[in-house]
Amino acid sequence: MKVRGKVFRYQDNVDTDVIIPARHLNTSDPNELAKHCMEDIDKDFIKNVKQGDIIVAGKNFGCGSSREHAPIAIKAAGISCVIATTFARIFFRNSVNIGLPILECEEAVKGTEAGDEVEVDFATGTIKNLTKDKIYKTQPFPEFMQKIIQAEGLINYIKGGSHEF
Amino acid sequence: MGMTMTQKILAAHTGLEKVVPGQLIEADLDLVLGNDITTPVAVNEFNKTGLDKVFDKSKVAIVPDHFTPNKDIKAAEQCKMVREFACRMEVENYFEIGEMGIEHCLIPEKGLAVPGDLIIGADSHTCTYGALGAFSTGVGSTDMAAGMATGKCWFKVPSALKFVLKGKPQGWVSGKDIILHIIGMIGVDGALYKSMEFMGDGLINLSMDDRFTMANMAIEAGAKNGIFMVDERTIEYVKEHSTKPYKVYEPDEDAVYDKVYEIDLSQIRPTVAFPHLPDNTRTIDEVGDVAIDQVVIGSCTNGRIEDLRVTAKILKGRKVKKGVRVLVFPGTQNIYLQALKEGLVEDIVEAGAVFSTPTCGPCLGGHMGILAKGERAVSTTNRNFVGRMGHVESEVYLASPAVAAASALTGKITDPDKIK
């Protein structure tokens, strides 16, 4: 499983209030949410983002509220993967649960700038910065996590499996 | 190697003798919680399962508190969807407007959280119930859906930080100042993925309301949960509010902590978090001249009766500064009623403040107190992120009810000791 796209670069402690401000939480429609994704820290994000693009950020990405609307908005905006130094724990769970791939890799974060072209292979945990011709290795996704992402989320994955409700 | 309080509760709910940090477990849940923002997403996910009932209708709680009373048509539609789901699933702990409150004030008051419980909630401040010696943690909507379906949730067993509290808080210092001080010390990711466990001789000097406030903000240090050692005061609270069986867990003597912090409560000063992160703290003595436009007192962090008592004590017989908007939100209907009976509402309203129905509204910039461009608020809430309470160029300063009430009188951030 591979993705490839252009990088949007952010700093430390990007919180869920800026990923999707609460004033837009009166809907749970992914496409509506995507229209406002990142607008409080990067007004141009939604104008410029293309399907497959990648967010790269510093530590504690997704801190704050538990709103699943945050990874939903990022995913619906077309982002194929988020790479950060660390993730806030609820955001981490939520991303896995809705099938948004996320990776922790400090080296890749340090070596990547906005606009770089990056390719990620989840099965091997390889992050390639094609612009800078650099390769970074991180933990590959465990098989179950790859399956959750392929199933587009935890509930579909559970439904398709042997888990009993 | 012994276990922490958190690890013991997780082990007990997984049927294991022992768990170790990093271990992945699937644990049984005592309560699954959601609100009007997170439950709609959970309902959509739950419906995909095709199930027609939740795992246990007495162990699900749904509280419409964020955009209620409904702030607009879209919010009304979301609340309607949540209400219909609760009705169809016969959820026993659905609390409609009139009987509701801000979820994290309401759940303990209703006796739904007791020592030793394992609770998940689709709201990050679910960690509040750690004040009662429970393991409780915020999750997302999909986890809420899976929890309602199966009564289980997977966890990675956390390591822990230990906070040994000693001494007695002085003057106006409250649980809010203590937790802001701690977050300022360890940072907004200082407890990332970990438990924060509070214990020590100083505990006796902290009321339950202080402890709720402190456990509530564990998430602002990135923690998975905050948990307090159970003492007589906890048991007294539980007996007063609940008939549920409970179990007290204490850490093993040889429990392993990543780090131990000793906090002398007598040395803590009233503390304010400047924009735009809760760890950007200064003591009241270092604040300088910060003029404000609005004061918000309330929320799941500071909407309890003691918070209103402190507010009324400072406002009583005085007037809020002309031009400053002061909004006070009790946490629940019961707290509202108690404040009425004690005459606090009269003191607050006569001073020139607004006294509202319970809602999360202004804390997250939802409704009932949005800030315009360039405006500043002192707030007893829990987050001061960019745009949290309104315009992206507005500012939120986090403080205790005492500092917020004192600031209401002067129009700038003020040490309550300076109010004569």
Side-chain angles (χ1 to χ4, degrees), chain B residues 236-362:
Chain B
E236 193 184 326
Y237 181 95
V238 170
K239 285 190 172 155
E240 196 181 318
H241 291 88
S242 188
T243 53
K244 268 176 67 169
Y246 64 87
K247 188 158 183 205
V248 175
Y249 292 90
E250 292 187 350
D252 287 324
E253 274 183 23
D254 58 344
V256 174
Y257 289 91
D258 290 351
K259 207 163 177 185
V260 179
Y261 296 91
E262 284 210 2
I263 313 274
D264 183 353
L265 302 178
S266 70
Q267 295 302 308
I268 292 177
R269 294 285 295 145
T271 300
V272 178
F274 276 48
H276 288 287
L277 284 173
D279 65 4
N280 189 17
T281 55
R282 297 186 198 178
T283 69
I284 195 74
D285 316 298
E286 305 161 333
V287 159
D289 218 16
V290 183
I292 49 160
D293 304 285
Q294 180 168 295
V295 175
V296 174
I297 297 174
S299 83
C300 61
T301 310
N302 278 123
R304 298 184 181 82
I305 193 67
E306 282 180 10
D307 302 316
L308 300 181
R309 284 179 189 144
V310 165
T311 303
K313 191 170 178 186
I314 292 174
L315 294 185
K316 185 175 181 164
R318 301 186 173 96
K319 288 284 176 197
V320 306
K321 174 89 174 171
K322 185 94 177 151
V324 177
R325 313 176 306 260
V326 184
L327 318 173
V328 182
F329 297 82
T332 65
Q333 288 287 94
N334 266 345
I335 294 169
Y336 195 133
L337 205 54
Q338 182 71 23
L340 269 175
K341 286 177 183 163
E342 292 184 20
L344 311 178
V345 179
E346 200 175 329
D347 296 339
I348 290 167
V349 173
E350 280 189 344
V354 163
F355 201 87
S356 157
T357 186
T359 179
C360 307

Side-chain angles (χ1 to χ4, degrees), chain A residues 13 15 17 22 25-26 40 59-60 64-66 68-69 87 89-90 93-94 97 104 155 159 163 165, chain B residues 37 45 48 67 72 74 78 123 137-143 153-154 189 193 364 383 385 388 392:
Chain A
N13 301 315
D15 61 76
D17 275 272
L25 296 184
N26 53 6
D40 281 1
K59 60 179 189 166
N60 205 22
S65 141
S66 69
E68 203 159 294
H69 312 67
F87 290 94
R89 55 161 288 274
I90 305 178
R93 286 187 83 96
N94 288 347
N97 286 347
E104 290 186 344
I155 297 287
K159 249 173 53 179
H163 200 292
F165 281 118
Chain B
I37 303 277
E45 293 301 311
K48 286 185 194 168
F67 290 168
D72 55 25
K74 281 182 173 175
Q78 291 207 128
D123 187 283
T137 191
V139 296
S141 298
T142 298
D143 279 323
C153 188
W154 68 266
D189 63 348
Y193 306 129
L364 74 163
R383 294 195 172 122
F385 299 150
R388 172 74 177 180
V392 55

